[in-house]
Amino acid sequence: MDQELFAAAMSARQNAYAPYSKFAVGAAVRAIDGTVFTGCNIENASYGLSICAERVAIFTAISRGYFQLEVLCVVADTAEPVAPCGACRQVMLEFHIKEVWLMNCAGAYRKMKMTELLPVGFGPEVLEK
Ligand code: THU
């Protein structure tokens, strides 16, 4: 298990804004050069505008100019390690994430390849000429 990413995701989870679901999530993503970016879920009174922790972490990395990401850790207070939603899996594929650590706050984890999380995915290479 990746202790640094887990600690970063747990810390980011403290900032979750989840007054509607009361389900706080934290995420941390590592770029290929080792830089780590974090995110938490941010909800909205207009529920559909809410965004998951994973996408906040990934978009933060992208907004800082880090396009090559490799590992992401997501954590929530669940019995089993939390599984990312379909939208987040698609965004992970876009930015070359290879491996995802599904975790709970107790530290239980499940390490998954992106190819397992989103098999036969539609990725950016399809649009390359
Ligand atoms: N959520 C995440 O942030 N990541 C996940 O992997 C699962 C769901 C958030 C979205 C929403 O704010 C709350 O958890 C309940 O769905």
Side-chain angles (χ1 to χ4, degrees):
M1 197 260 293
D2 192 317
Q3 280 294 348
E4 187 202 6
L5 275 190
F6 177 55
M10 283 291 282
S11 174
R13 184 175 170 273
Q14 299 293 323
N15 296 328
Y17 176 73
Y20 308 107
S21 72
K22 313 249 191 287
F23 188 73
V25 185
V29 66
R30 182 185 292 125
I32 52 171
D33 75 343
T35 309
V36 170
F37 299 92
T38 61
C40 58
N41 55 328
I42 305 170
E43 298 183 346
N44 194 281
S46 177
Y47 296 170
L49 298 184
S50 301
I51 185 167
C52 296
E54 297 94 314
R55 273 175 288 156
V56 172
I58 293 167
F59 294 159
T60 298
I62 299 305
S63 72
R64 304 259 166 88
Y66 289 78
F67 293 89
Q68 296 291 325
L69 309 177
E70 55 179 5
V71 186
L72 182 143
C73 171
V74 56
V75 64
D77 190 14
T78 44
E80 300 297 323
V82 69
C85 80
C88 288
R89 294 177 197 210
Q90 182 68 31
V91 171
M92 290 171 191
L93 188 71
E94 181 77 20
F95 297 111
H96 321 291
I97 290 173
K98 302 280 184 302
E99 197 175 287
V100 184
W101 293 81
L102 286 51
M103 299 198 65
N104 69 15
C105 293
Y109 66 91
R110 184 170 178 191
K111 176 181 161 182
M112 294 194 73
K113 298 281 178 211
M114 201 56 232
T115 48
E116 297 174 287
L117 279 173
L118 190 60
V120 204
F122 180 78
E125 66 287 343
V126 176
L127 302 176
E128 283 167 14
K129 293 209 175 125

